[in-house]
Amino acid sequence: MRYISTRGAAPALSFEEVLLAGLASDGGLYVPETLPQFSREEITALRGLSYPALAQRVIAPFVADAVPEDDLRAILEDCYAVFRHGAVAPLVQLGPNQWIMELFHGPTLAFKDFALQLLGRLLDYVLERRGEKVVIMGATSGDTGSAAIEGCRRCENVDIFILHPHGRVSEVQRRQMTTVPGEGIHNLAVEGNFDDCQAMVKASFGAQGFLPEGRRLVAVNSINWARIMAQVVYYFHAALALGGPDRPLAFSVPTGNFGDIFAGYLARGMGLPVSQLVIATNRNDVLHRVLTSGLYDRQPLEPSLSPSMDITVSSNFERLLFDLYGRDGDAVAGLMRAFDGGELRLSPEALADARTLFASHRVDDEDTCAEIAGTWEASEYLLDPHSAIGVVAARAAQRDPAVPMVTLATAHPAKFPDAVRRAGVERAPALPAHLADLYDREERYTVLPNDLAAVQAFMADNLRA
């Protein structure tokens, strides 16, 4: 398996090289040269497998010979053993043909544990074999940071620097990052918004001269291919549980960076019968705007009750553009140059192609609270604000009520108690036992100005030998 850049000018890489590369040298994102294909019979044969065993069957073609079969099996079994539910990603029925897939049973109560628990173990495996040390630099709007730290904190060959917008993540999200002990773990609270943090990460990957010789950056954001690869698995998991491949499924995905829903797009490309993918957004609706108007542009970021989706530049959308434009790297490079200049507009053909599979819906804070309250009243099921947006969008955008609609529940409601209270639900969501003392743990983080040079200087000065 080889991986190529969406902008066409970077060399093709192996899985191991892509794992450590992050952005391509031409500024693009890596995607597989060809997608592995599963026939209807091969998908049927996956029924009844445990989640780790299913993950191995889905992931193995992407990894190829970079990790031997027995080693990959051990990594995956270890990875998903830390999840608190035997099904790993259990399904709960909310109504007729309306389902929730709970992706919050990992250590940090968010869907990003699925990818980042695996990423940390893969990094440790590869770096130990290569005798290298790397620097993880990531930006988070809430959940990525804690999941990355939890997934990578035991890695001996990694220093971790996670940037988050100061004062713009929930208290639970912040404490999950800042209370993890470890010499090589650094939380940086940047006096800006998430897009500022993400821009610093991208700029740093493009010019790594601030690091000492022999060190390089590794991405934990969803630009890292290994994260997308891991997320493909739970689409197969849901389909198999609900009658696939003998019946199609639709998915509603709360998303800002387009990574989680792009994994569903890949699953469909691999042979899974996915009839519809619903992009569920909050008031920061860049993806909804592009799907309804064809215009991809920047608008001011507005803080919301669903902070993990408070994003105005959707990094992984470039991966879809690559396919919409016939995998023409030059065309994508031109589009991204236009976007850097202010905006890009999809061609009528590309927009029509996107709309054949994707639909979208925008949900504001008022409707988010109404859904949390309504679902609780109807079934005593408690949604976090991101998952509530997904449920609203699922109902609003579903094309065929005969097709099961699965909403991805991306976070545990205990991470967002303020939103639950604002919705008028009297029951306070409790943290699981392993996080019960979270508010008593000592926090460690550094507040830095919204300045790339200051962030890079801090990183260079705080690397372990």
Side-chain angles (χ1 to χ4, degrees), residues 138-462:
T140 185
S141 55
D143 293 326
T144 296
S146 56
I149 289 169
E150 185 63 36
C152 302
R153 66 189 177 96
R154 296 177 182 85
C155 298
E156 294 291 333
N157 302 302
V158 173
D159 287 289
I160 307 172
F161 296 85
I162 299 295
L163 285 61
H164 72 268
H166 186 41
R168 297 196 183 190
V169 299
S170 80
E171 184 177 7
V172 172
Q173 287 175 313
R174 189 194 72 241
R175 286 180 173 274
Q176 281 186 296
M177 293 187 287
T178 62
T179 59
V180 179
E183 183 183 356
I185 299 170
H186 301 279
N187 286 283
L188 308 182
V190 176
E191 294 175 322
N193 60 38
F194 170 75
D195 288 337
D196 297 322
C197 297
Q198 185 164 252
M200 289 184 188
V201 172
K202 288 186 175 180
S204 298
F205 272 87
Q208 301 188 25
F210 67 98
L211 294 175
E213 187 176 354
R215 296 288 180 95
R216 60 169 155 170
L217 294 178
V218 168
V220 291
N221 287 58
S222 54
I223 61 172
N224 190 305
W225 168 254
R227 276 193 54 179
I228 304 291
M229 173 189 76
Q231 291 167 322
V232 171
V233 178
Y234 46 69
Y235 287 91
F236 276 82
H237 167 78
L240 290 163
L242 295 176
D246 297 330
R247 66 190 307 196
L249 265 76
F251 293 88
S252 177
V253 186
T255 188
N257 238 349
F258 203 74
D260 204 11
I261 199 165
F262 185 73
Y265 168 80
L266 292 174
R268 180 177 183 264
M270 294 166 67
L272 203 67
V274 177
S275 64
Q276 184 186 16
L277 291 170
V278 178
I279 299 167
T281 75
N282 63 13
R283 65 178 66 177
N284 298 294
D285 59 351
V286 58
L287 290 169
H288 176 61
R289 292 197 313 272
V290 72
L291 199 64
T292 53
S293 71
L295 183 66
Y296 184 44
D297 65 348
R298 294 176 175 86
Q299 297 290 336
L301 187 144
E302 300 182 42
S304 77
L305 290 176
S306 45
S308 297
M309 297 159 65
D310 287 346
I311 294 169
T312 65
V313 178
S314 186
S315 295
N316 283 288
F317 187 62
E318 182 173 337
R319 285 183 160 120
L320 180 63
L321 285 176
F322 186 56
D323 280 358
L324 294 178
Y325 282 81
R327 312 205 106 202
D328 183 340
D330 289 340
V332 173
L335 288 167
M336 298 314 296
R337 284 194 297 271
F339 182 64
D340 289 341
E343 65 184 39
L344 69 86
R345 184 173 291 278
L346 297 186
S347 69
E349 296 79 13
L351 182 58
D353 191 11
R355 287 173 174 170
T356 59
L357 176 63
F358 293 96
S360 66
H361 191 71
R362 178 189 189 273
V363 183
D364 61 20
D365 282 353
E366 182 178 354
D367 287 342
T368 300
C369 289
E371 185 60 42
I372 294 172
T375 298
W376 175 255
E377 183 177 354
S379 61
E380 292 195 355
Y381 188 87
L382 194 55
L383 296 165
D384 91 288
H386 305 79
S387 306
I389 287 171
V391 172
V392 174
R395 283 200 306 268
Q398 187 172 18
R399 292 171 181 161
D400 185 350
V403 173
M405 172 66 78
V406 179
T407 296
L408 274 55
T410 53
H412 194 290
K415 300 189 80 163
F416 304 96
D418 292 342
V420 174
R421 283 192 293 269
R422 183 165 163 180
V425 177
E426 295 183 0
R427 174 183 165 181
L431 287 166
H434 74 285
L435 291 173
D437 65 342
L438 182 65
Y439 291 95
D440 300 323
R441 299 176 188 176
E442 180 183 358
E443 289 193 83
R444 297 184 307 132
Y445 63 95
T446 304
V447 179
L448 292 176
N450 186 7
D451 178 74
L452 177 62
V455 169
Q456 290 181 341
F458 180 92
M459 293 174 63
D461 291 343
N462 286 276

Side-chain angles (χ1 to χ4, degrees), residues 73 97 271 424:
R73 180 182 300 110
N97 262 353

Side-chain angles (χ1 to χ4, degrees), residues 27-198:
L29 303 181
Y30 280 107
V31 293
E33 198 166 36
T34 58
L35 269 183
Q37 298 296 305
F38 286 78
S39 68
R40 184 190 184 105
E41 293 72 25
E42 287 171 329
I43 296 173
T44 300
L46 301 176
R47 290 174 178 168
L49 294 180
S50 67
Y51 195 93
L54 174 64
Q56 178 158 18
R57 295 288 295 276
V58 173
I59 286 172
F62 294 111
V63 174
D65 57 357
V67 183
E69 181 180 349
D70 289 346
D71 292 347
L72 181 61
R73 180 182 300 110
I75 286 171
L76 290 166
E77 289 176 351
D78 182 56
C79 176
Y80 296 112
V82 302
F83 282 63
R84 296 172 296 108
H85 195 290
V88 182
L91 287 148
V92 176
Q93 189 167 12
L94 283 187
N97 262 353
Q98 295 287 333
W99 300 80
I100 287 281
M101 181 162 56
E102 294 182 340
L103 301 179
F104 50 70
H105 292 286
T108 71
L109 315 185
F111 79 99
K112 294 176 182 179
D113 286 324
F114 280 83
L116 287 163
Q117 286 292 315
L118 177 58
L119 179 62
R121 286 162 174 80
L122 287 172
L123 282 174
D124 213 24
Y125 179 90
V126 169
L127 291 172
E128 184 67 28
R129 187 173 66 195
R130 294 165 68 109
E132 293 183 19
K133 294 182 181 293
V134 298
V135 179
I136 283 177
M137 183 183 189
T140 185
S141 55
D143 293 326
T144 296
S146 56
I149 289 169
E150 185 63 36
C152 302
R153 66 189 177 96
R154 296 177 182 85
C155 298
E156 294 291 333
N157 302 302
V158 173
D159 287 289
I160 307 172
F161 296 85
I162 299 295
L163 285 61
H164 72 268
H166 186 41
R168 297 196 183 190
V169 299
S170 80
E171 184 177 7
V172 172
Q173 287 175 313
R174 189 194 72 241
R175 286 180 173 274
Q176 281 186 296
M177 293 187 287
T178 62
T179 59
V180 179
E183 183 183 356
I185 299 170
H186 301 279
N187 286 283
L188 308 182
V190 176
E191 294 175 322
N193 60 38
F194 170 75
D195 288 337
D196 297 322
C197 297
Q198 185 164 252

